[in-house]
């Protein structure tokens, strides 16, 4: 199994435990894990600093104009100048995802990875959801917020995440038809959910 080239793309609702499940899957399949690490890869590919990608991470390209960037945001040797659109940032990130996928087995978290890699046959896409109360309680614990604050954060962050996905893919974020498997992690818990997903992946690729 270690020699089998497998790409796992994990979409997730905020607070669902999708990040933790993705990390477990990466360990299970001896694959590289890419979440915010993609921002560093995209920065290297583009010549812009990682901070530029952090500021626009999973945000749709609502600006028609260019984002004017100071010299501190441009890595030395950049050939792209000092301004860039969000669509260009998405293109750089997409290139980084495709390059990483070519280099070996990996797990990608969010950032439209399953759409970007849709032409490949070694990709399996998963969407992790959970009950709203479970997600709010997870956010409360991790962010040290009260219930109302956590609920508000969930709504704001998920609206941005959905807008980003819908804008760049032309599909609907979280819709079952966009993924190979959708699963509620609050039913079985994170570890049992990961084992179920891993079993699905093994059957999918005949491992």
């Amino acid at each position: 199994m270690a020699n089998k080239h497998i790409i796992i793309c994990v979409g997730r609702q905020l607070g669902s435990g999708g990040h933790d499940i993705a990390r477990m899957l990466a360990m299970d399949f001896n694959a590289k894990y890419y979440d915010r690490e993609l921002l560093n890869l995209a920065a290297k590919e583009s010549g812009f600093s990682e901070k530029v990608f952090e500021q626009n991470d999973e945000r749709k390209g609502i600006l028609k104009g260019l984002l004017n960037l100071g010299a501190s945001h441009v890595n030395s040797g950049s050939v792209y100048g000092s301004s860039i659109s969000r669509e260009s940032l998405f293109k750089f990130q997409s290139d980084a995802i495709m390059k990483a996928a070519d280099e070996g087995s990996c797990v990608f978290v969010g950032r439209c990875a399953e759409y970007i890699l849709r032409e490949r046959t070694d990709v399996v896409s998963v969407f992790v959801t959970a009950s709203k109360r479970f997600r709010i309680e997870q956010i409360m614990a991790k962010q040290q917020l009260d219930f109302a604050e956590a609920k508000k954060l969930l709504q704001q962050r998920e609206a941005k995440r959905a807008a980003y996905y819908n804008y760049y893919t032309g599909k609907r974020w979280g819709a079952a038809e966009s993924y190979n498997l959708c699963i509620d992690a609050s039913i079985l818990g994170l570890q049992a959910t990961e084992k179920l997903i891993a079993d699905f992946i093994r059957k999918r690729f005949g491992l």
Side-chain angles (χ1 to χ4, degrees):
M1 182 168 64
N3 295 324
K4 181 76 172 181
H5 195 125
I6 296 174
I7 310 300
I8 304 169
C9 300
V10 180
R12 76 287 182 219
Q13 285 188 308
L14 189 69
S16 66
H19 290 91
D20 295 329
I21 289 171
R23 285 190 182 277
M24 287 187 274
L25 287 169
M27 293 181 63
D28 213 348
F29 288 92
N30 191 29
K32 289 186 177 180
Y33 173 86
Y34 293 102
D35 183 6
R36 295 186 67 81
E37 293 82 355
L38 282 171
L39 307 183
N40 178 261
L41 288 180
K44 290 180 179 179
E45 288 294 307
S46 66
F48 284 92
S49 76
E50 188 173 343
K51 186 175 182 180
V52 175
F53 291 90
E54 288 177 351
Q55 291 173 341
N56 295 278
D57 190 27
E58 291 194 315
R59 297 181 184 180
K60 73 174 185 176
I62 58 175
L63 300 179
K64 293 182 180 180
L66 296 175
L67 299 174
N68 294 317
L69 309 172
S72 63
H73 289 172
V74 183
N75 293 334
S76 61
S78 171
V79 296
Y80 298 105
S82 59
S83 62
I84 188 172
S85 67
R86 282 186 178 152
E87 283 76 9
S88 294
L89 292 178
F90 180 78
K91 177 63 167 60
F92 290 134
Q93 187 167 272
S94 298
D95 290 344
I97 288 172
M98 289 188 284
K99 183 176 180 179
D102 284 338
E103 292 176 349
S105 294
C106 45
V107 177
F108 294 109
V109 177
R111 298 171 182 84
C112 306
E114 89 290 338
Y115 177 79
I116 292 164
L117 302 173
R118 63 192 180 279
E119 301 298 329
R120 298 180 66 111
T121 60
D122 54 357
V123 174
V124 61
S125 59
V126 179
F127 190 82
V128 180
T129 183
S131 69
K132 193 167 186 177
R133 175 164 290 276
F134 178 91
R135 293 185 288 129
I136 291 174
E137 289 175 351
Q138 291 295 306
I139 295 170
M140 289 172 64
K142 291 184 178 181
Q143 303 286 340
Q144 297 183 332
L145 302 174
D146 63 28
F147 187 90
E149 291 171 331
K151 182 179 180 181
K152 183 178 180 180
L153 178 63
L154 184 150
Q155 293 171 337
Q156 291 175 340
R157 292 274 298 279
E158 288 208 332
K160 290 179 180 178
R161 188 174 289 177
Y164 172 89
Y165 183 91
N166 298 347
Y167 180 87
Y168 286 111
T169 68
K171 302 168 72 175
R172 186 162 61 89
W173 180 73
E177 63 266 23
S178 297
Y179 310 90
N180 300 134
L181 176 68
C182 297
I183 189 165
D184 185 336
S186 61
I187 297 176
L188 300 178
L190 303 190
Q191 291 187 336
T193 298
E194 189 276 337
K195 290 184 182 299
L196 192 154
I197 295 171
D199 186 53
F200 174 84
I201 293 170
R202 291 186 182 98
K203 290 181 179 179
R204 162 72 173 82
F205 293 111
L207 301 175

